[in-house]
Protein backbone atom coordinates (compact mmCIF):
# COMPACT_ATOMS: atom_id res chain seq x y z
CA UNK A 1 0.00 0.00 0.00
CA UNK A 2 1.20 3.53 -0.84
CA UNK A 3 2.05 5.18 2.49
CA UNK A 4 -0.11 8.16 1.48
CA UNK A 5 -3.12 5.83 1.63
CA UNK A 6 -2.39 4.85 5.24
CA UNK A 7 -4.31 6.44 8.14
CA UNK A 8 -2.52 9.65 9.14
CA UNK A 9 -1.82 10.84 12.64
CA UNK A 10 0.10 13.72 14.19
CA UNK A 11 2.19 12.64 17.19
CA UNK A 12 3.50 15.21 19.64
CA UNK A 13 6.62 14.41 21.66
CA UNK A 14 6.54 16.50 24.81
CA UNK A 15 8.23 16.43 28.19
CA UNK A 16 10.83 18.25 30.31
CA UNK A 17 14.21 19.28 28.98
CA UNK A 18 16.88 16.54 28.99
CA UNK A 19 14.30 13.75 29.18
CA UNK A 20 15.38 12.39 25.78
CA UNK A 21 12.65 13.52 23.37
CA UNK A 22 14.99 14.34 20.48
CA UNK A 23 17.02 11.18 21.08
CA UNK A 24 13.85 9.09 21.02
CA UNK A 25 12.68 10.63 17.74
CA UNK A 26 16.15 10.36 16.20
CA UNK A 27 16.36 6.67 17.11
CA UNK A 28 12.88 6.00 15.70
CA UNK A 29 13.82 7.70 12.43
CA UNK A 30 17.01 5.62 12.22
CA UNK A 31 15.32 2.33 13.16
CA UNK A 32 12.59 2.88 10.56
CA UNK A 33 15.21 3.74 7.89
CA UNK A 34 13.77 7.23 7.42
CA UNK A 35 17.17 8.93 7.41
CA UNK A 36 19.86 8.39 4.81
CA UNK A 37 23.41 7.17 5.35
CA UNK A 38 24.65 10.71 4.66
CA UNK A 39 22.34 12.15 7.34
CA UNK A 40 23.58 9.60 9.88
CA UNK A 41 27.19 10.43 9.05
CA UNK A 42 26.44 14.16 9.38
CA UNK A 43 24.81 13.59 12.79
CA UNK A 44 27.83 11.56 13.94
CA UNK A 45 30.17 14.35 12.84
CA UNK A 46 28.07 16.92 14.69
CA UNK A 47 28.19 14.80 17.86
CA UNK A 48 31.98 14.68 17.66
CA UNK A 49 32.15 18.43 17.03
CA UNK A 50 30.07 19.27 20.11
CA UNK A 51 31.62 16.57 22.29
CA UNK A 52 28.52 14.40 22.66
CA UNK A 53 28.26 10.62 22.80
CA UNK A 54 24.71 10.70 21.43
CA UNK A 55 24.44 11.34 17.67
CA UNK A 56 20.71 10.61 17.34
CA UNK A 57 19.73 13.94 18.87
CA UNK A 58 21.47 15.71 15.95
CA UNK A 59 19.08 14.08 13.49
CA UNK A 60 16.38 16.26 15.07
CA UNK A 61 18.02 19.35 16.60
CA UNK A 62 19.47 21.00 13.51
CA UNK A 63 19.96 24.64 14.55
CA UNK A 64 23.40 25.65 15.77
CA UNK A 65 22.04 27.28 18.95
CA UNK A 66 20.20 24.05 19.85
CA UNK A 67 23.32 21.97 19.27
CA UNK A 68 25.54 24.27 21.31
CA UNK A 69 23.13 24.39 24.27
CA UNK A 70 21.98 20.78 23.97
CA UNK A 71 18.41 22.02 24.17
CA UNK A 72 15.47 21.95 21.74
CA UNK A 73 14.14 25.48 21.15
CA UNK A 74 11.70 25.16 18.23
CA UNK A 75 9.13 22.60 17.20
CA UNK A 76 10.23 20.44 14.25
CA UNK A 77 8.30 18.06 12.02
CA UNK A 78 9.32 14.62 10.76
CA UNK A 79 7.66 11.93 8.66
CA UNK A 80 7.60 8.43 10.16
CA UNK A 81 5.84 5.59 8.35
CA UNK A 82 4.89 2.31 9.99
CA UNK A 83 3.11 -0.72 8.53
CA UNK A 84 -0.23 0.71 9.63
CA UNK A 85 0.11 4.52 9.82
CA UNK A 86 1.77 7.54 8.30
CA UNK A 87 2.83 9.69 11.24
CA UNK A 88 3.79 13.33 11.44
CA UNK A 89 6.09 13.50 14.47
CA UNK A 90 6.51 16.85 16.23
CA UNK A 91 9.47 17.44 18.52
CA UNK A 92 8.80 20.26 21.00
CA UNK A 93 10.96 22.21 23.48
CA UNK A 94 10.95 21.03 27.07
CA UNK A 95 12.13 24.22 28.75
CA UNK A 96 9.32 26.47 29.98
CA UNK A 97 10.85 29.58 28.40
CA UNK A 98 9.96 28.08 25.01
CA UNK A 99 6.42 27.19 26.08
CA UNK A 100 4.83 29.10 23.16
CA UNK A 101 6.65 26.86 20.68
CA UNK A 102 5.47 23.83 22.65
CA UNK A 103 1.85 25.05 22.52
CA UNK A 104 2.10 25.45 18.73
CA UNK A 105 2.82 21.73 18.52
CA UNK A 106 0.13 20.70 21.02
CA UNK A 107 -2.61 22.41 18.99
CA UNK A 108 -1.91 20.08 16.04
CA UNK A 109 -1.61 16.74 17.85
CA UNK A 110 -3.75 13.61 17.74
CA UNK A 111 -1.49 11.79 20.20
CA UNK A 112 0.82 13.14 22.91
CA UNK A 113 3.86 11.07 23.85
CA UNK A 114 5.22 12.27 27.20
CA UNK A 115 8.91 11.43 27.41
CA UNK A 116 10.07 11.48 31.03
CA UNK A 117 13.17 10.17 32.76
CA UNK A 118 12.71 7.07 34.91
CA UNK A 119 15.73 8.13 37.00
CA UNK A 120 14.26 9.22 40.33
CA UNK A 121 16.32 12.39 40.86
CA UNK A 122 15.68 13.63 37.31
CA UNK A 123 11.96 12.84 37.45
CA UNK A 124 11.38 14.58 40.78
CA UNK A 125 13.26 17.69 39.62
CA UNK A 126 11.10 17.91 36.50
CA UNK A 127 7.68 17.24 38.09
CA UNK A 128 6.57 20.92 38.03
CA UNK A 129 7.24 21.05 34.26
CA UNK A 130 5.53 17.69 33.66
CA UNK A 131 2.45 18.85 35.59
CA UNK A 132 2.17 22.10 33.62
CA UNK A 133 2.63 20.34 30.28
CA UNK A 134 0.05 17.67 31.18
CA UNK A 135 -2.41 20.42 32.01
CA UNK A 136 -1.81 22.19 28.69
CA UNK A 137 -2.20 18.99 26.69
CA UNK A 138 -5.50 18.24 28.45
CA UNK A 139 -6.73 21.82 28.09
CA UNK A 140 -5.99 21.89 24.36
CA UNK A 141 -7.96 18.69 23.80
CA UNK A 142 -5.40 15.98 23.06
CA UNK A 143 -7.16 12.83 24.24
CA UNK A 144 -4.57 10.14 23.42
CA UNK A 145 -1.70 10.02 25.90
CA UNK A 146 1.34 7.70 26.02
CA UNK A 147 3.96 7.91 28.77
CA UNK A 148 7.40 7.01 27.44
CA UNK A 149 9.57 6.23 30.48
CA UNK A 150 13.13 6.71 29.28
CA UNK A 151 16.60 5.86 30.61
CA UNK A 152 15.74 2.45 32.05
CA UNK A 153 19.37 1.46 31.55
CA UNK A 154 20.11 3.62 34.62
CA UNK A 155 17.37 2.20 36.87
CA UNK A 156 17.72 -0.39 39.63
CA UNK A 157 14.83 -2.85 40.26
CA UNK A 158 13.41 -1.88 36.87
CA UNK A 159 10.20 -3.89 37.09
CA UNK A 160 9.25 -2.41 40.46
CA UNK A 161 10.21 1.09 39.32
CA UNK A 162 8.04 0.76 36.22
CA UNK A 163 4.97 -0.26 38.24
CA UNK A 164 5.47 2.62 40.68
CA UNK A 165 5.89 5.19 37.90
CA UNK A 166 2.90 3.85 36.00
CA UNK A 167 0.70 4.31 39.06
CA UNK A 168 2.10 7.75 39.87
CA UNK A 169 1.90 9.23 36.37
CA UNK A 170 -1.53 7.78 35.63
CA UNK A 171 -2.88 9.47 38.77
CA UNK A 172 -1.13 12.73 37.85
CA UNK A 173 -2.64 12.69 34.35
CA UNK A 174 -6.12 12.21 35.82
CA UNK A 175 -5.61 15.10 38.26
CA UNK A 176 -4.56 17.32 35.33
CA UNK A 177 -7.80 16.67 33.45
CA UNK A 178 -7.08 13.64 31.27
CA UNK A 179 -10.17 11.43 31.08
CA UNK A 180 -8.66 8.39 29.35
CA UNK A 181 -6.15 6.02 30.96
CA UNK A 182 -2.73 6.59 29.34
CA UNK A 183 -0.50 3.82 28.08
CA UNK A 184 2.92 3.55 29.75
CA UNK A 185 5.96 2.17 27.95
CA UNK A 186 9.50 1.71 29.38
CA UNK A 187 12.35 2.41 26.95
CA UNK A 188 16.02 3.19 26.67
CA UNK A 189 16.12 5.56 23.70
CA UNK A 190 19.90 5.84 23.59
CA UNK A 191 20.20 2.13 22.77
CA UNK A 192 16.84 1.75 21.00
CA UNK A 193 15.36 -0.61 23.61
CA UNK A 194 11.62 -1.18 23.20
CA UNK A 195 11.12 1.61 20.67
CA UNK A 196 10.04 -0.49 17.69
CA UNK A 197 10.40 -4.05 19.01
CA UNK A 198 10.45 -5.80 22.41
CA UNK A 199 13.88 -5.63 24.03
CA UNK A 200 15.81 -8.54 25.51
CA UNK A 201 17.17 -6.00 28.02
CA UNK A 202 13.67 -5.74 29.51
CA UNK A 203 12.52 -9.37 29.91
CA UNK A 204 10.20 -8.34 32.76
CA UNK A 205 8.10 -6.12 30.47
CA UNK A 206 5.42 -7.92 28.42
CA UNK A 207 3.61 -4.93 26.94
CA UNK A 208 3.82 -3.10 23.61
CA UNK A 209 6.78 -1.25 22.13
CA UNK A 210 6.53 2.53 21.90
CA UNK A 211 5.65 2.58 18.20
CA UNK A 212 2.99 -0.11 18.73
CA UNK A 213 1.46 1.86 21.61
CA UNK A 214 1.30 4.96 19.41
CA UNK A 215 -0.36 3.10 16.53
CA UNK A 216 -2.79 1.46 18.97
CA UNK A 217 -4.34 4.83 19.87
CA UNK A 218 -7.85 5.54 18.61
CA UNK A 219 -7.70 8.46 16.18
CA UNK A 220 -10.39 11.16 16.11
CA UNK A 221 -12.45 11.41 12.90
CA UNK A 222 -11.09 13.73 10.24
CA UNK A 223 -13.35 16.72 9.52
CA UNK A 224 -13.12 16.22 5.76
CA UNK A 225 -16.82 16.98 5.21
CA UNK A 226 -16.59 20.39 6.89
CA UNK A 227 -15.73 23.66 5.08
CA UNK A 228 -12.06 24.10 4.14
CA UNK A 229 -10.00 25.89 6.76
CA UNK A 230 -6.19 25.92 6.83
CA UNK A 231 -4.12 27.82 9.38
CA UNK A 232 -0.99 29.32 7.80
CA UNK A 233 2.08 28.98 10.02
CA UNK A 234 4.83 30.02 7.62
CA UNK A 235 5.04 31.85 4.29
CA UNK A 236 8.04 31.19 2.05
CA UNK A 237 9.14 32.45 -1.35
CA UNK A 238 10.86 29.60 -3.18
CA UNK A 239 12.72 30.22 -6.47
CA UNK A 240 10.95 28.48 -9.31
CA UNK A 241 7.84 27.82 -7.24
CA UNK A 242 6.74 31.20 -5.94
CA UNK A 243 4.76 31.74 -2.75
CA UNK A 244 4.37 28.63 -0.58
CA UNK A 245 2.08 28.52 2.44
CA UNK A 246 2.99 26.02 5.17
CA UNK A 247 0.43 24.90 7.70
CA UNK A 248 -2.13 22.38 8.81
CA UNK A 249 -5.50 21.75 7.19
CA UNK A 250 -7.94 22.07 10.07
CA UNK A 251 -11.05 20.90 8.22
CA UNK A 252 -12.24 20.11 4.72
CA UNK A 253 -10.07 19.02 1.79
CA UNK A 254 -7.80 20.97 -0.55
CA UNK A 255 -6.90 20.19 -4.16
CA UNK A 256 -4.74 21.79 -6.84
CA UNK A 257 -6.78 24.27 -8.89
CA UNK A 258 -8.97 25.30 -5.95
CA UNK A 259 -9.76 29.03 -5.75
CA UNK A 260 -9.15 30.21 -2.19
CA UNK A 261 -9.57 33.28 0.00
CA UNK A 262 -6.93 34.21 2.57
CA UNK A 263 -8.23 36.14 5.57
CA UNK A 264 -8.18 38.67 7.10
CA UNK A 265 -6.55 40.47 4.14
CA UNK A 266 -9.15 38.92 1.74
CA UNK A 267 -6.50 37.91 -0.79
CA UNK A 268 -7.81 35.80 -3.69
CA UNK A 269 -5.51 33.07 -5.02
CA UNK A 270 -5.41 29.74 -6.85
CA UNK A 271 -3.69 26.61 -5.55
CA UNK A 272 -0.98 25.51 -8.02
CA UNK A 273 0.25 22.44 -6.16
CA UNK A 274 0.35 20.73 -2.76
CA UNK A 275 3.26 18.90 -1.20
CA UNK A 276 3.77 16.80 1.92
CA UNK A 277 7.34 15.91 2.87
CA UNK A 278 8.55 16.91 -0.60
CA UNK A 279 6.07 14.67 -2.43
CA UNK A 280 3.21 15.95 -4.60
CA UNK A 281 -0.21 15.39 -3.07
CA UNK A 282 -3.43 15.23 -5.08
CA UNK A 283 -5.66 15.98 -2.09
CA UNK A 284 -4.80 17.34 1.35
CA UNK A 285 -7.19 16.18 4.05
CA UNK A 286 -8.06 17.54 7.46
CA UNK A 287 -5.07 17.70 9.83
CA UNK A 288 -2.48 17.15 7.10
CA UNK A 289 0.65 19.31 7.48
CA UNK A 290 1.37 20.55 3.97
CA UNK A 291 3.06 23.13 1.79
CA UNK A 292 0.68 24.84 -0.65
CA UNK A 293 2.00 26.74 -3.66
CA UNK A 294 -0.38 29.55 -4.66
CA UNK A 295 -0.56 32.19 -7.39
CA UNK A 296 -2.53 35.37 -7.80
CA UNK A 297 -2.27 39.13 -7.23
CA UNK A 298 -1.27 40.02 -3.71
CA UNK A 299 0.00 36.58 -2.66
CA UNK A 300 3.31 38.11 -1.58
CA UNK A 301 1.37 40.01 1.09
CA UNK A 302 0.13 36.89 2.89
CA UNK A 303 1.28 36.82 6.52
CA UNK A 304 1.74 33.94 8.96
CA UNK A 305 -1.36 33.55 11.10
CA UNK A 306 -3.72 34.01 8.17
CA UNK A 307 -6.55 31.59 7.45
CA UNK A 308 -7.07 29.92 4.07
CA UNK A 309 -10.58 28.90 3.02
CA UNK A 310 -12.41 28.04 -0.19
CA UNK A 311 -13.51 31.09 -2.17
CA UNK A 312 -16.93 29.44 -2.53
CA UNK A 313 -17.32 29.14 1.27
CA UNK A 314 -14.97 31.66 2.92
CA UNK A 315 -14.46 32.12 6.65
CA UNK A 316 -16.47 34.93 8.23
CA UNK A 317 -15.06 37.51 10.65
CA UNK A 318 -16.50 37.83 14.16
CA UNK A 319 -16.09 40.36 16.95
CA UNK A 320 -17.09 38.00 19.79
CA UNK A 321 -16.37 34.34 20.43
CA UNK A 322 -16.46 31.87 23.33
CA UNK A 323 -13.23 30.27 24.55
CA UNK A 324 -12.04 28.04 27.34
CA UNK A 325 -8.98 29.47 29.07
CA UNK A 326 -6.58 28.61 31.86
CA UNK A 327 -5.19 31.40 34.03
CA UNK A 328 -1.43 31.01 34.23
CA UNK A 329 1.30 32.62 36.33
CA UNK A 330 1.90 36.24 35.32
CA UNK A 331 -1.80 37.05 35.03
CA UNK A 332 -3.50 39.46 37.48
CA UNK A 333 -4.25 37.98 40.91
CA UNK A 334 -7.93 38.53 40.15
CA UNK A 335 -8.80 38.39 36.44
CA UNK A 336 -12.18 40.10 36.01
CA UNK A 337 -14.60 40.97 33.23
CA UNK A 338 -13.18 43.86 31.20
CA UNK A 339 -9.60 42.55 31.37
CA UNK A 340 -7.67 43.30 28.16
CA UNK A 341 -5.02 40.90 26.89
CA UNK A 342 -3.52 39.39 23.78
CA UNK A 343 -4.84 36.15 22.35
CA UNK A 344 -2.41 33.99 20.37
CA UNK A 345 -4.13 31.87 17.71
CA UNK A 346 -1.53 29.77 15.91
CA UNK A 347 0.73 32.56 14.55
CA UNK A 348 -1.71 35.46 15.04
CA UNK A 349 -1.67 37.89 17.96
CA UNK A 350 -4.89 39.87 18.57
CA UNK A 351 -5.79 42.27 21.38
CA UNK A 352 -9.08 41.25 22.99
CA UNK A 353 -11.23 41.99 26.04
CA UNK A 354 -12.94 39.55 28.40
CA UNK A 355 -16.61 40.43 27.99
CA UNK A 356 -18.19 37.88 30.33
CA UNK A 357 -17.06 35.08 32.66
CA UNK A 358 -19.56 32.26 32.10
CA UNK A 359 -18.44 29.50 34.49
CA UNK A 360 -15.36 27.80 35.91
CA UNK A 361 -14.47 24.16 35.21
CA UNK A 362 -13.70 21.47 37.78
CA UNK A 363 -10.37 20.17 36.42
CA UNK A 364 -10.90 16.70 37.86
CA UNK A 365 -14.38 16.11 36.40
CA UNK A 366 -14.46 18.56 33.49
CA UNK A 367 -17.92 19.71 34.64
CA UNK A 368 -19.06 23.29 35.39
CA UNK A 369 -18.24 24.49 38.90
CA UNK A 370 -19.07 28.15 39.66
CA UNK A 371 -21.48 30.04 37.37
CA UNK A 372 -20.71 33.70 36.56
CA UNK A 373 -17.66 33.95 38.87
CA UNK A 374 -16.69 37.45 39.94
CA UNK A 375 -13.03 36.79 39.11
CA UNK A 376 -10.54 34.08 38.15
CA UNK A 377 -7.26 33.28 39.88
CA UNK A 378 -4.07 31.53 38.76
CA UNK A 379 -4.80 27.88 37.97
CA UNK A 380 -8.50 28.37 37.20
CA UNK A 381 -10.00 26.99 33.99
CA UNK A 382 -13.14 28.70 32.75
CA UNK A 383 -15.40 29.53 29.85
Amino acid sequence: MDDRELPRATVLFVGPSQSGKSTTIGQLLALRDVVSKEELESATAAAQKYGRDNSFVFLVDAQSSERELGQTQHETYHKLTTQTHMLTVIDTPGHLKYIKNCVAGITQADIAVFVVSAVESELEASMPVITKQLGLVALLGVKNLVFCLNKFDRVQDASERFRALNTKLTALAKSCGHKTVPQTVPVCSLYGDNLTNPSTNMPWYKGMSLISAICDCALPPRLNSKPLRMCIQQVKTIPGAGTVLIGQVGSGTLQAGTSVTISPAQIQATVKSIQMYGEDLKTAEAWDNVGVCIEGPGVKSVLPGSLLSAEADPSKPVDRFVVQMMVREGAPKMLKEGYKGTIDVHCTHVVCKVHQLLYTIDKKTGKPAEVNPKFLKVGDVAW
Side-chain angles (χ1 to χ4, degrees):
M1 179 185 292
D2 189 327
D3 60 11
R4 287 175 290 186
E5 298 176 5
L6 293 171
R8 302 170 191 169
T10 301
V11 184
L12 172 85
F13 276 71
V14 64
S17 183
Q18 306 303 318
S19 61
K21 296 184 299 298
S22 297
T23 301
T24 303
I25 295 173
Q27 267 280 22
L28 284 171
L29 296 177
L31 290 170
R32 295 297 304 174
D33 295 325
V34 175
V35 292
S36 65
K37 179 181 178 181
E38 290 74 17
E39 288 173 309
L40 287 171
E41 291 174 348
S42 176
T44 301
Q48 293 174 348
K49 176 182 177 181
Y50 291 99
R52 310 278 172 77
D53 295 329
N54 174 12
S55 62
F56 297 104
V57 68
F58 294 104
L59 293 172
V60 180
D61 291 342
Q63 297 191 13
S64 58
S65 59
E66 294 178 318
R67 293 182 168 189
E68 290 171 1
L69 295 174
Q71 190 177 76
T72 302
Q73 298 173 346
H74 305 275
E75 75 275 17
T76 58
Y77 300 78
H78 310 272
K79 176 184 176 182
L80 182 63
T81 303
T82 72
Q83 293 180 340
T84 58
H85 290 77
M86 188 175 82
L87 307 176
T88 295
V89 174
I90 308 177
D91 185 25
T92 58
H95 199 286
L96 288 179
K97 67 180 177 182
Y98 304 117
I99 193 68
K100 289 184 178 179
N101 295 337
C102 182
V103 169
I106 296 173
T107 59
Q108 303 172 57
D110 302 312
I111 303 163
V113 176
F114 258 87
V115 183
V116 299
S117 173
V119 178
E120 185 172 4
S121 59
E122 295 181 6
L123 178 68
E124 293 306 318
S126 61
M127 284 303 292
V129 176
I130 295 171
T131 303
K132 287 184 179 180
Q133 291 176 335
L134 277 170
L136 282 172
V137 169
L139 178 65
L140 294 172
V142 183
K143 294 180 172 58
N144 289 306
L145 187 62
V146 178
F147 280 115
C148 173
L149 307 184
N150 193 17
K151 305 185 182 181
F152 258 85
D153 58 314
R154 295 168 52 193
V155 171
Q156 300 293 326
D157 299 321
S159 177
E160 189 64 33
R161 178 65 173 161
F162 172 73
R163 285 194 290 268
L165 286 179
N166 182 33
T167 301
K168 179 175 184 175
L169 293 173
T170 298
L172 179 62
K174 184 177 180 180
S175 71
C176 290
H178 290 275
K179 297 179 176 61
T180 57
V181 177
Q183 298 190 68
T184 307
V185 181
V187 305
C188 174
S189 297
L190 185 61
Y191 301 112
D193 290 338
N194 208 34
L195 293 183
T196 59
N197 294 296
S199 172
T200 55
N201 293 325
M202 299 178 180
W204 48 268
Y205 175 71
K206 306 301 181 182
M208 290 185 285
S209 67
L210 178 61
I211 202 69
S212 296
I214 291 171
C215 293
D216 189 58
C217 291
L219 299 178
R222 293 291 188 252
L223 304 177
N224 290 335
S225 61
K226 299 292 185 180
L228 170 65
R229 301 289 185 265
M230 173 178 164
C231 299
I232 300 169
Q233 297 169 337
Q234 298 179 49
V235 180
K236 294 186 177 182
T237 301
I238 299 178
T243 301
V244 176
L245 311 179
I246 299 173
Q248 185 182 56
V249 179
S251 62
T253 59
L254 180 63
Q255 298 173 329
T258 301
S259 297
V260 297
T261 297
I262 300 169
S263 304
Q266 299 302 307
I267 296 171
Q268 309 299 317
T270 301
V271 175
K272 292 171 58 180
S273 62
I274 307 169
Q275 286 198 339
M276 179 185 288
Y277 304 112
E279 299 177 2
D280 289 330
L281 203 63
K282 292 181 179 179
T283 301
E285 300 180 351
W287 296 9
D288 282 348
N289 294 282
V290 294
V292 179
C293 181
I294 61 171
E295 60 182 357
V299 297
K300 293 183 179 180
S301 301
V302 177
L303 297 175
S306 301
L307 183 69
L308 181 149
S309 56
E311 186 178 322
D313 190 3
S315 60
K316 299 175 177 61
V318 297
D319 57 11
R320 290 188 183 185
F321 50 92
V322 179
V323 299
Q324 184 187 78
M325 67 177 181
M326 173 185 286
V327 184
R328 297 183 58 80
E329 295 177 4
K333 291 183 178 179
M334 294 189 295
L335 193 153
K336 301 180 179 180
E337 293 175 356
Y339 172 77
K340 291 184 178 180
T342 301
I343 186 168
D344 297 327
V345 184
H346 294 278
C347 301
T348 301
H349 313 282
V350 181
V351 176
C352 63
K353 182 173 74 173
V354 176
H355 176 69
Q356 184 180 5
L357 298 175
L358 300 177
Y359 56 87
T360 58
I361 295 292
D362 186 316
K363 288 185 285 186
K364 291 185 178 180
T365 65
K367 296 180 179 180
E370 181 183 0
V371 178
N372 297 131
K374 293 182 179 180
F375 63 88
L376 302 177
K377 61 184 183 299
V378 172
D380 283 347
V381 177
W383 287 92

